[in-house]
Amino acid sequence: MTPAPAPTAMPLRQALRVAEGPITLLGYDPASKPLSPGSKSKALKELASTGAVLASQQEMLYANGASGDPRRVLLVLQGTDTSGKDGVVRHVVGQVGPAGVSITSFKRPTAEEAAHHFLWRIRRALPAAGMIGVFNRSHYEDVLVTRVHQSIDGPAWAERIADINAFERQLSDSGTVLVKCFLHISYSEQRKRLLARLDDPSKLWKFNPADIEERAYWSDYQSAYAAAIAATSTEAAPWHIVPSDSKWYRNWAVSQLLRDALLGLELSYPPADFDVEAARARLRPPF
Amino acid sequence: MTPAPAPTAMPLRQALRVAEGPITLLGYDPASKPLSPGSKSKALKELASTGAVLASQQEMLYANGASGDPRRVLLVLQGTDTSGKDGVVRHVVGQVGPAGVSITSFKRPTAEEAAHHFLWRIRRALPAAGMIGVFNRSHYEDVLVTRVHQSIDGPAWAERIADINAFERQLSDSGTVLVKCFLHISYSEQRKRLLARLDDPSKLWKFNPADIEERAYWSDYQSAYAAAIAATSTEAAPWHIVPSDSKWYRNWAVSQLLRDALLGLELSYPPADFDVEAARARLRPPF
């Protein structure tokens, strides 16, 4: 038996949990590293060992789902362009058996999607029982872009926020554990990463000149994120602000948050619902 | 520059490709290891290095898909219970960035699915451009279980076979590269694996006593697979019979087949469709 990991004085999920009440993102340093293991090499080591825990927990979650347990996990990733949503999917979620994960990247709504309530496409992408769902962008886009570009007014925004809170409460009540992460980077880090994309022929396809236009609205986006996060960080579905100027810290932190969510389910393998001895007997040679 | 891997005298995709004309699976030894790297340790090493190739090829495929290239890859996995379909998904497909893969495990059709043409649910699960799709079981179930249990007659079976060939030809014509693998295990190897599940508390949930009932139809299934494979191994979508009594050979072989399919696309990163210099200039500080 391997000993259980030593409990941290303050779990990461508390350290990164957004404060109650109105917030400004200026109060959260994107270069900070709360509860960091101390160095990149240590963090990568912990990321790998946490990956093994994620993989075995996911198998157990799946096994329980196949046996009627309604529980599932939903990781919601938000953040500005280049904040590292794809990187988290690759380096954290990629450690888990791919059949147990359903990943949805939400783009600009299609005509069909736009003709429905903004949660319509979200509901269709929810993970099934036993699955880990990952939203790369999410319903939060509908209270961010819209607010920055003023395509909805204040009351409409507030109504969407209320819709989101009711929706997430329903999810939580029916067995979905939500892990909501805002990947927080600085203005200058975004410049650095956009320039790096321009320098790398294998990254050019990810670059969209329109992202530069959006960058002009940086402060508006930061305010919109702060307002949305403050208004939707509930007991059922709290927000975590993950400082993400450091990629290794970001990956380490999200993997810890996801692991803690899974461990919180206190999973074990479901017992056999059939007579194991009888099955064994029937498989005796020559059968 | 790393040198290109030395070409094998006979590529694996030819060595494992099913013979033309009627076949019997008795002619294919599930314990054989054609073109094997020679030992488990060498195969695991090659699996890891092939994994890196798969990951980079998948990224390139995705980048091209995002730039309008319609091409995609579809890995079809068939085989009896315990033949290792889940293992291939975990150990081969799991080496690729999870956002670029869409995996569908086909179960017994739901009432809604059963009310449609048998290819209806298959078409809905097809990978999008730039994606690697994986079918864990597939439309082939509809010409296997049905034939063994005689729920459709000969003409109906033949019609489905014709539907499948037309469907796969359409897929191929519109840019989907099909990699069809039959994971071939022996009767005694299945016994061993079923018993192993009974001995492992973390595997009990995968055990279904109904699988023992199906095992009584082993020979019928082997005949049904042989008939379906022979009738649907086309130039556009050939079948590979992967000897799968050895798990390491099976994983190694499927990873090679998938790699060769990707390399056959001769992918490169799409060039920028915007003015890179102008974008760089606009990102100069203080912007």
Side-chain angles (χ1 to χ4, degrees):
Chain A
M1 299 295 287
T2 42
T8 2
M10 185 194 204
L12 193 70
R13 64 178 179 279
Q14 278 168 40
L16 298 186
R17 183 164 172 172
V18 69
E20 279 188 40
I23 61 162
T24 163
L25 288 177
L26 295 172
Y28 295 84
D29 179 2
S32 65
K33 301 186 180 72
L35 301 184
S36 154
S39 68
K40 179 175 177 179
S41 66
K42 277 188 195 154
L44 291 180
K45 236 181 186 164
E46 281 197 20
L47 180 65
S49 61
T50 303
V53 177
L54 291 179
S56 68
Q57 289 289 316
Q58 177 271 318
E59 279 196 71
M60 239 186 286
L61 181 67
Y62 191 89
N64 281 281
S67 309
D69 186 333
R71 291 179 296 173
R72 60 208 80 182
V73 171
L74 177 59
L75 175 66
V76 175
L77 299 172
Q78 284 289 157
T80 55
D81 290 323
T82 78
S83 62
K85 301 178 293 294
D86 293 344
V88 166
V89 170
R90 180 172 299 271
H91 297 291
V92 179
V93 180
Q95 296 177 302
V96 166
V101 178
S102 74
I103 301 164
T104 310
S105 293
F106 289 98
K107 320 273 184 207
R108 181 188 294 272
T110 62
E112 188 189 18
E113 289 168 349
H116 287 274
H117 186 270
F118 76 101
L119 291 175
W120 180 76
R121 63 176 187 159
I122 306 295
R123 290 185 196 272
R124 287 160 59 99
L126 288 171
M131 298 288 287
I132 298 176
V134 180
F135 283 178
N136 184 336
R137 302 187 188 271
S138 66
H139 41 299
Y140 285 98
E141 292 296 318
D142 296 295
V143 288
L144 292 166
V145 189
T146 48
R147 184 179 172 109
V148 168
H149 294 292
Q150 295 168 6
S151 57
I152 60 175
D153 62 12
W157 182 86
E159 193 180 315
R160 287 192 176 185
I161 291 288
D163 285 347
I164 288 175
N165 283 335
F167 169 62
E168 293 185 349
R169 159 59 57 119
Q170 288 162 20
L171 289 182
S172 170
D173 285 349
S174 55
T176 301
V177 177
L178 284 122
V179 181
K180 300 194 293 189
C181 295
F182 172 67
L183 308 183
H184 185 34
I185 59 168
S186 66
Y187 188 69
S188 60
E189 180 67 20
Q190 189 189 53
R191 175 192 298 117
K192 214 177 98 188
R193 293 185 185 179
L194 286 172
L195 285 170
R197 282 190 186 168
L198 292 174
D199 289 338
D200 182 347
S202 78
K203 294 278 167 59
L204 274 177
W205 68 277
K206 289 189 94 175
F207 193 96
N208 183 347
D211 295 348
I212 303 183
E213 316 291 341
E214 285 303 280
R215 187 168 153 81
Y217 296 93
W218 181 271
S219 297
D220 294 341
Y221 268 108
Q222 298 288 297
S223 305
Y225 272 115
I229 287 171
T232 58
S233 196
T234 59
E235 208 46 61
W239 270 105
H240 301 94
I241 298 183
V242 179
S244 297
D245 274 4
S246 157
K247 293 178 181 178
W248 62 257
Y249 177 79
R250 173 199 76 206
N251 291 342
W252 172 85
V254 177
S255 77
Q256 301 281 311
L257 294 172
L258 189 55
R259 181 200 63 178
D260 289 351
L262 283 159
L263 292 177
L265 296 175
E266 300 186 342
L267 297 165
S268 57
Y269 275 102
D273 57 358
F274 60 91
D275 184 336
V276 175
E277 258 328 301
R280 208 175 264 136
R282 291 190 57 197
L283 283 166
R284 267 193 212 113
F287 185 72
Chain B
M1 298 294 286
T2 43
T8 1
M10 185 194 205
L12 192 70
R13 66 178 179 278
Q14 277 168 41
L16 299 185
R17 183 162 172 174
V18 69
E20 279 188 42
I23 60 161
T24 163
L25 288 177
L26 295 171
Y28 294 83
D29 180 1
S32 65
K33 301 186 179 73
L35 301 183
S36 153
S39 69
K40 181 176 176 179
S41 66
K42 276 188 195 154
L44 291 179
K45 233 179 188 166
E46 282 197 21
L47 180 65
S49 62
T50 303
V53 178
L54 291 179
S56 68
Q57 289 289 315
Q58 177 271 317
E59 280 195 70
M60 238 186 285
L61 181 66
Y62 191 90
N64 281 282
S67 308
D69 186 333
R71 290 179 298 171
R72 62 206 80 181
V73 171
L74 177 60
L75 176 66
V76 175
L77 299 173
Q78 282 291 156
T80 56
D81 290 322
T82 77
S83 62
K85 302 179 292 295
D86 292 344
V88 166
V89 170
R90 179 172 300 271
H91 297 291
V92 179
V93 181
Q95 296 179 301
V96 166
V101 178
S102 74
I103 300 164
T104 310
S105 293
F106 289 97
K107 321 273 185 209
R108 183 189 293 272
T110 62
E112 187 189 18
E113 288 169 350
H116 287 276
H117 186 270
F118 77 99
L119 290 175
W120 179 76
R121 64 175 186 160
I122 306 296
R123 290 184 196 273
R124 289 160 57 100
L126 288 171
M131 298 288 286
I132 297 177
V134 181
F135 283 178
N136 184 338
R137 301 189 189 271
S138 66
H139 41 299
Y140 285 99
E141 293 296 317
D142 297 293
V143 288
L144 292 166
V145 189
T146 49
R147 184 180 173 111
V148 168
H149 295 292
Q150 298 171 3
S151 59
I152 60 174
D153 62 12
W157 182 85
E159 195 181 315
R160 288 192 176 183
I161 291 288
D163 284 348
I164 288 175
N165 282 334
F167 169 61
E168 293 185 349
R169 158 60 55 117
Q170 288 163 19
L171 289 182
S172 170
D173 285 349
S174 55
T176 301
V177 177
L178 284 121
V179 182
K180 300 195 293 190
C181 295
F182 172 66
L183 308 184
H184 185 32
I185 59 169
S186 66
Y187 189 67
S188 59
E189 179 67 20
Q190 190 189 53
R191 173 192 298 115
K192 214 178 98 188
R193 293 185 185 179
L194 286 172
L195 285 169
R197 281 190 187 169
L198 291 174
D199 290 339
D200 183 345
S202 78
K203 294 278 167 62
L204 274 177
W205 68 275
K206 288 189 94 176
F207 193 95
N208 184 346
D211 294 349
I212 304 184
E213 317 290 342
E214 284 304 279
R215 184 168 156 82
Y217 295 93
W218 180 272
S219 298
D220 294 340
Y221 269 107
Q222 298 288 299
S223 304
Y225 272 115
I229 287 171
T232 58
S233 195
T234 59
E235 205 52 49
W239 270 105
H240 301 94
I241 297 183
V242 179
S244 297
D245 274 5
S246 157
K247 294 179 181 177
W248 62 256
Y249 177 78
R250 173 200 75 206
N251 291 342
W252 173 83
V254 178
S255 76
Q256 300 281 311
L257 293 172
L258 189 55
R259 181 201 62 179
D260 289 351
L262 284 159
L263 292 177
L265 295 175
E266 300 186 342
L267 297 164
S268 58
Y269 276 102
D273 56 358
F274 59 91
D275 185 336
V276 175
E277 257 329 302
R280 206 174 265 133
R282 291 191 55 199
L283 283 165
R284 267 192 212 113
F287 183 73

